[in-house]
Amino acid sequence: MWLARILKSHLWGGIVCALLFLLVGCVFVNYAGIQTDEALFASPLFRSWQFFSIPIGPHNLPLMNMSYNGTLKTWLYAPLLLSVGRPTPSLIRIPAILMGAATIVIFWGLLYRVHGPRAAWAGCILLATDTSFVLTTVYDWGPVALQHLLLAGALFCTVRWFQTAASGSLAAAAFCCGLAMWDKAVFIWVFTGILAGSLIFMSDIRKRLTWGRVAIVAGALSLGALPLIVYNFASEPMFATIRSNVPSGSGVTFGEIAQKLRVLRWTADGSALFGYLADEDWAPQPKPARSRLERMSFSIRRLTGEHRRNDMVPAYCGALLLLPLLWRTRARKVMLFCLVAIVVAWIFMASTRGGGGAAHHAVLLWPLPQLFLAVAFAEAAGHLRFGKWVLGVVVGWLAVGNLLVTNQYLCQFIRDGAGDAWTDAIYPLADGLKKTDASQIVLPDWGLSDSLCVLNRDKPVTHVASDPFLADGQPPSQKQYELQILSDRKAIWVEHVAGHEILPGVNGRIMDAAHRAGFEPVVLRTYYDRNGRAIFQALQFVSKSTK
């Protein structure tokens, strides 16, 4: 019965595209370790302290993980993570993949409403196969999965309100935007772009927008963002989100802008994450393919060659060139909306301190580029004699190119393992530390704190050693605290082995400070990744006077 209803509705195409995305995404679930930013959302469920929370009876309800990062994902995952003994990669990543699939279904509905089935097929196939969208969703370290879902939901509900004048749809759109602000306050980048793009429709919006509906928007937006609002009024100083993350304005150099443009291009062509997520082919101790899927991946690469970028950037340029030709068509306003929204959002992003410099920022613009491309190509196809077939060939070519780049990542995961920040050596490390009677786990380098906290439910307790450590000019209380850590015979220090440090030189600085304080390291155990490469070592410091 339900299958017949789906087939009769227009949503079945979106479900097909979502299933394609699910299949591709699930392939990657177990090829990388849990990265610390990926695990950040879950840490409040296990650690004793919170970045910002409110007391509810004997418990503290976490509201914010950072000044710009809320706990919406924490709340959504809490029933799952608190019901198991130990979180697994599947438990953390499959819900994110499902969010990506839901984004595609909603995106189908959006495209169907604004242009029709051809645009819906084109946009959803390209989004479902987009390498950057797939990988940043599976390994949701941004986080981006909820941002994409809420953005697609907000756009769909806004279009529905525009077409039906239903106030409930307008409220839902505003609520989605508020939730996205709480989830990650940098949603303001895309939100600003959307508002700027909406000026294209201002004359039509004015006819539909009343003061009552303005009040609905304000109320729903504030309700969705309420935890973020509470934090900013309760923080010291007030408005900490704005004060800590204001645009840097003139502080952004031309070189930075040029680099951020390159990151945007690399994100669009799928090449941005090589060497970061999956290691490169020059990494030592490569592994052969073992399963049928892995052998198939290797065979595809052998037959088609290496593919490190797709053809999406030329496709976007082609769609841009179509705009003057489609100026008198129904596609014009939608294309202009997307173009203005993307440009304004990216400018706002690039002018923010630290914004736009990595793929997990640039991809927050998605699915606006796919919306622009799908509408342009679908409209152009409608004016050609065999337009449907031309559109199918073009979209098929682009989708195959996307999948070949994605397969390149899979091959490198299989052969070369994950990059240092994503190493699967985190799993044997977590297992080994859990079996010790350590009083605390001290981490000199970046990239382990939240991963170990989530995998071991913060037992033993983890914390990051300050850098510089035991530095001259420190307050006496801080220096005494750090000496106590060194003197703790049950404290275990975990560092990346030479050549795998995330913050180069940090281990040496810690060692030098310990030597000056009269302590020497004793290596307890070395931990390896699935390729057999030494990644971590656990050690303790022993006073020279006791040897």
Side-chain angles (χ1 to χ4, degrees), residues 278-541:
D279 216 333
E280 296 287 7
D281 281 348
W282 54 77
Q285 298 173 235
K287 284 187 64 176
R290 295 189 177 181
S291 68
R292 182 179 298 178
L293 175 65
E294 291 179 350
R295 288 191 292 272
M296 184 187 302
S297 175
F298 276 35
S299 296
I300 292 172
R301 179 180 174 180
R302 187 167 54 252
L303 290 171
T304 63
E306 188 173 87
H307 290 268
R308 296 180 68 90
R309 57 181 52 86
N310 56 38
D311 295 320
M312 291 303 296
V313 172
Y316 291 132
C317 293
L320 188 60
L321 293 175
L322 284 174
L323 181 57
L325 302 177
L326 302 175
W327 195 258
R328 296 183 180 278
T329 69
R330 57 175 178 157
R332 174 173 59 92
K333 283 191 175 183
V334 178
M335 292 178 68
L336 285 175
F337 164 79
C338 293
L339 194 60
V340 171
I342 291 168
V343 170
V344 171
W346 184 83
I347 290 173
F348 197 2
M349 180 190 300
S351 64
T352 302
R353 184 168 51 249
H360 68 279
H361 283 172
V363 81
L364 293 174
L365 298 173
W366 275 228
L368 290 172
Q370 288 80 8
L371 177 61
F372 176 80
L373 185 64
V375 170
F377 281 9
E379 183 64 35
H383 295 271
L384 298 176
R385 184 177 179 184
F386 300 105
K388 181 171 68 173
W389 300 105
V390 172
L391 179 64
V393 169
V394 171
V395 171
W397 175 268
L398 293 174
V400 169
N402 288 344
L403 292 173
L404 288 175
V405 175
T406 304
N407 184 67
Q408 179 73 26
Y409 279 98
L410 180 58
C411 286
Q412 292 185 204
F413 267 125
I414 297 164
R415 182 185 188 278
D416 311 308
D420 287 338
W422 292 88
T423 176
D424 53 38
I426 191 70
Y427 301 129
L429 174 64
D431 288 336
L433 294 176
K434 193 172 184 65
K435 295 173 183 176
T436 68
D437 61 349
S439 60
Q440 57 184 319
I441 306 300
V442 188
L443 307 169
D445 201 0
W446 181 90
L448 292 174
S449 179
D450 290 293
S451 304
L452 290 174
C453 172
V454 171
L455 287 171
N456 284 346
R457 304 175 76 94
D458 209 28
K459 294 176 183 178
V461 174
T462 62
H463 65 86
V464 179
S466 61
D467 183 28
F469 189 75
L470 292 177
D472 294 335
Q474 280 184 333
S477 58
Q478 177 66 19
K479 199 164 187 176
Q480 182 63 31
Y481 170 70
E482 291 176 355
L483 283 171
Q484 287 176 354
I485 296 175
L486 276 175
S487 303
D488 184 356
R489 293 296 302 271
K490 285 195 169 186
I492 293 180
W493 294 63
V494 177
E495 64 179 17
H496 291 86
V497 302
H500 293 280
E501 289 175 305
I502 306 298
L503 303 175
V506 65
N507 291 343
R509 292 190 293 272
I510 295 287
M511 291 297 174
D512 291 344
H515 279 299
R516 290 194 301 269
F519 292 85
E520 290 185 350
V522 175
V523 176
L524 303 176
R525 184 176 171 184
T526 302
Y527 295 91
Y528 301 82
D529 65 8
R530 72 174 67 187
N531 289 65
R533 299 173 297 212
I535 304 295
F536 303 116
Q537 60 183 16
L539 53 91
Q540 289 179 319
F541 283 100

Side-chain angles (χ1 to χ4, degrees), residues 91-147:
L91 198 66
I92 289 174
R93 289 170 181 159
I94 287 179
I97 295 171
L98 291 172
M99 293 179 203
T103 300
I104 291 169
V105 175
I106 295 171
F107 189 50
W108 174 279
L110 170 66
L111 279 164
Y112 199 95
R113 280 183 173 271
V114 300
H115 201 272
R118 287 186 184 180
W121 274 111
C124 288
I125 288 173
L126 293 178
L127 183 62
T129 59
D130 185 274
T131 303
S132 294
F133 180 73
V134 170
L135 294 179
T136 56
T137 301
V138 175
Y139 307 113
D140 188 21
W141 76 96
V144 299
L146 274 169
Q147 293 284 295

Side-chain angles (χ1 to χ4, degrees), residues 106 110 147-161 169-170 172-178 180 187 191 194:
I106 295 171
L110 170 66
Q147 293 284 295
H148 289 143
L149 178 61
L150 292 169
L151 172 59
L155 291 173
F156 174 81
C157 291
T158 301
V159 169
R160 189 175 186 277
W161 165 74
S169 295
L170 186 62
F175 184 67
C176 284
C177 290
F187 181 74
F191 185 68
I194 290 171

